[in-house]
Amino acid sequence: MTSNAKSITIGLPVSDLEKSASWYEKLLMSDEKLIPVEGVIEYQIGSVWIQLFEEKTNASKNVLCLEAENLEVEFERLKTLGIITNEVIEELSGILRYFDFTDPDGNKLSFYWLYEQE
């Protein structure tokens, strides 16, 4: 059986909505956003929505993983923006390459690139 779901929304708690929105706009290279209600800002990536909401709580325990077309270019872009500093690109035995980092509130993110599987 297949789900009738057409998209996915991932909610991330942030302590300062406007500051975090600015950070995510640099990360996503887009300022196109949806504000469905006060206190919520959403960004669309394909059929996935990233939803930022202001909450005075700890960071999400989930990891938001984004596939990059060119991992090295994305890595250098984020270093130039100051989003990442000491992170390194890791490899998982011929399956994928990735690097992890966090947003200003400690939410975990990762960019990855998959090797072509035969």
Side-chain angles (χ1 to χ4, degrees), residues 88-99 113 115:
V88 295
I89 295 177
E90 305 280 346
E91 180 158 347
L92 185 58
S93 63
I95 298 171
L96 63 86
R97 298 178 71 226
Y98 69 96
F99 61 91
W113 176 84
Y115 284 97

Side-chain angles (χ1 to χ4, degrees), residues 34-111:
L34 175 66
I35 303 173
V37 295
E38 186 177 334
V40 174
I41 297 177
E42 297 181 349
Y43 300 92
Q44 187 174 18
I45 303 174
S47 62
V48 175
W49 289 85
I50 297 174
Q51 181 184 78
L52 305 179
F53 58 94
E54 199 164 281
E55 185 175 283
K56 306 289 188 241
T57 186
N58 293 333
S60 170
K61 302 243 186 275
N62 300 314
V63 180
L64 176 61
C65 300
L66 305 164
E67 185 175 7
E69 191 171 313
N70 186 317
L71 193 65
E72 286 75 14
V73 168
E74 198 61 34
F75 185 78
E76 291 304 319
R77 182 181 75 84
L78 297 185
K79 277 177 60 176
T80 300
L81 289 171
I83 289 175
I84 60 174
T85 53
N86 296 324
E87 292 76 2
V88 295
I89 295 177
E90 305 280 346
E91 180 158 347
L92 185 58
S93 63
I95 298 171
L96 63 86
R97 298 178 71 226
Y98 69 96
F99 61 91
D100 297 327
F101 58 105
T102 59
D103 74 5
D105 289 292
N107 292 306
K108 297 174 186 172
L109 296 103
S110 179
F111 270 98

